[in-house]
Structures are given as C-alpha cells and as structure tokens.
Amino acid sequence: MKHYSIAIDGPAGAGKSTIAKKVAKHLNFIYVDTGAMYRALALYFIRNNIASADKEKIESSCNDADVTIDYRDGEQQVLLNDENVTQLIRTEEVGNMASASSVYPVVRLKLVELQRNLAKKADVVMDGREIGTFVLPGADLKIYLTASSMERAKRRFLELKQRGITADINEIEKDIIERDNRDMNREFAPLKQADDAILLDSSDMTIDEVAEYIIKCYEQIR
Ligand code: DC
C-alpha cells in the first residue's frame, strides 16, 4: 500500500511545526517533527557535558543515546533512553545544541533511519531542514517554508512571552541568523530548497492561509 508524504523544510521559526501539525490533522496524516529528534540527542549531549565541538565524543556517545518516537492522543512524544523528554527539549539552549551537533553525519544518519522508517509505515507530514532533499527525496509534495529573519524573531519573541519568558528580540534575531547560517552551510545534508519544492514565504500570510495553501497543493497532486 502506498503511503503519502509531505515534506516541509525551512529555517528556524518559519512556522513549520504549527503548519505541519494543522495539515497533518486535516489530512489525517501523522506529523513527524524531526527537529525534536535532534533536540533529544542534544539534550543527551548537554546532560553529559559533551561539547558540540568535541566530534570524537559526540560520535562515540551517539550509540548510548536511544531516541524513539511514540504517539499519544495523536501528539508526537520523543523518548530519550525511555524517558519522555518532549517538554524538556523546547529551550533555546537545546535548539542551539541541536543545530551545532547535527552537523555530524553520524548524528544525522542515526535519525534519518528512524525518519524514513516512520514514512514507510504511514502517511506523513514531516518537517525539518533536508526532508525534501535527503530524507524523503521522493516525497509527494515538497514545501520550502520561509519568512524574513525579523518576522521569525518576532514570532519566537511572542511565543516566549506567552510562556512567561522575557527575551530581547534583537538577540533572538541574531540567534536565528546564526542558526540559519550553520544549518545552510554544513557539509552534509544542509538546509536547502529542493529543486522540486514549492517556495512559500509566510512573512505576510497567516498560519491558516499557509496551511490551506499546502492542503490545496496536496489535493491537486493526489
Ligand atoms: O526545527 P528545530 O528548531 O526543532 O531544529 C533544531 C535544530 O536541529 C536545527 O537548527 C537543525 C537541526 N535539524 C536538522 O539538522 N535537521 C532536521 N531535519 C531537523 C532539525
């Protein structure tokens, strides 16, 4: 039986996860948040005082960190060595470590296998950085979702504010630009728009407009 896949790639803070979740819910697909997997590994490195620059340690400790995915009430849960870390990985520190440690092919290949296996078993909306170019190059629909760095910083600032966290918007933008640079310029499977991906700039679009547009695109190819 054929399983359908929608790949949504793009830089940090472009709204990928919110939109991917909406699209998945509407189409009754499974939402796969690949960033959460890199974040779970990053949490392992932070907890064990392993620096992102320490390639050898990262490589040798990769096998000690078991990352698995579970679904509870339709929501993806990430388990790190059987501990549910879904809530613990949503910090800037973990996000930055995920970006820095995901440059190593050993880290990436471990998680790519998990991601491809999920897509073999179900219809998926998968978001990440290189889903359309590397993880699922044969995806039925590929979207490259972006927005200006200031707009993305503004969104993250408001998200943090809602959670009661005060932050400096200019610092957030600086962080975002740094993360973009690292994700786009790493040697192995960098963040890049696939040749056959639809480019969507969400700077002046609402979440619902973007989600509806993607659903329409999918209905046309199905
Ligand atoms: O999407 P996110 O902010 O949760 O991702 C955190 C970091 O993980 C991101 O900056 C780079 C890395 N990542 C990746 O390299 N490939 C993916 N498919 C997803 C995330």
Side-chain angles (χ1 to χ4, degrees), residues 9-13 16-17 33-39 89-90 94-103 108 112 115 126-131 135 156 179-180 182-183 186 188-189 191:
D9 290 307
K16 298 186 299 294
S17 63
D33 173 1
T34 62
M37 302 175 188
Y38 288 94
R39 284 172 181 263
I89 56 176
R90 296 285 144 212
V94 173
N96 287 330
M97 181 53 148
S99 170
S101 55
S102 65
V103 301
R108 306 202 64 80
V112 165
Q115 294 154 12
M126 191 177 284
D127 82 359
R129 300 294 188 287
E130 55 1 331
I131 309 304
V135 181
R156 191 134 285 180
R179 184 115 70 96
D180 287 355
R182 194 166 36 214
D183 294 348
R186 67 178 174 231
F188 187 72
L191 163 64

Side-chain angles (χ1 to χ4, degrees), residues 40-41 44 62-68 79-83 110:
L41 269 189
Y44 179 86
C62 231
N63 282 337
D64 303 330
D66 187 33
V67 176
T68 48
L79 308 183
L80 171 63
N81 293 334
D82 293 329
E83 175 193 354
K110 177 184 172 88

Side-chain angles (χ1 to χ4, degrees), residues 85-143:
V85 295
T86 310
Q87 304 300 329
L88 299 176
I89 56 176
R90 296 285 144 212
T91 66
E92 295 304 297
E93 185 196 14
V94 173
N96 287 330
M97 181 53 148
S99 170
S101 55
S102 65
V103 301
Y104 302 114
V106 173
V107 170
R108 306 202 64 80
L109 292 172
K110 177 184 172 88
L111 298 179
V112 165
E113 196 189 337
L114 177 62
Q115 294 154 12
R116 286 183 180 151
N117 283 337
L118 286 166
K120 264 187 215 154
K121 290 189 211 132
D123 297 329
V124 295
V125 178
M126 191 177 284
D127 82 359
R129 300 294 188 287
E130 55 1 331
I131 309 304
T133 53
F134 185 74
V135 181
L136 304 175
D140 300 285
L141 176 64
K142 298 179 187 176
I143 304 289

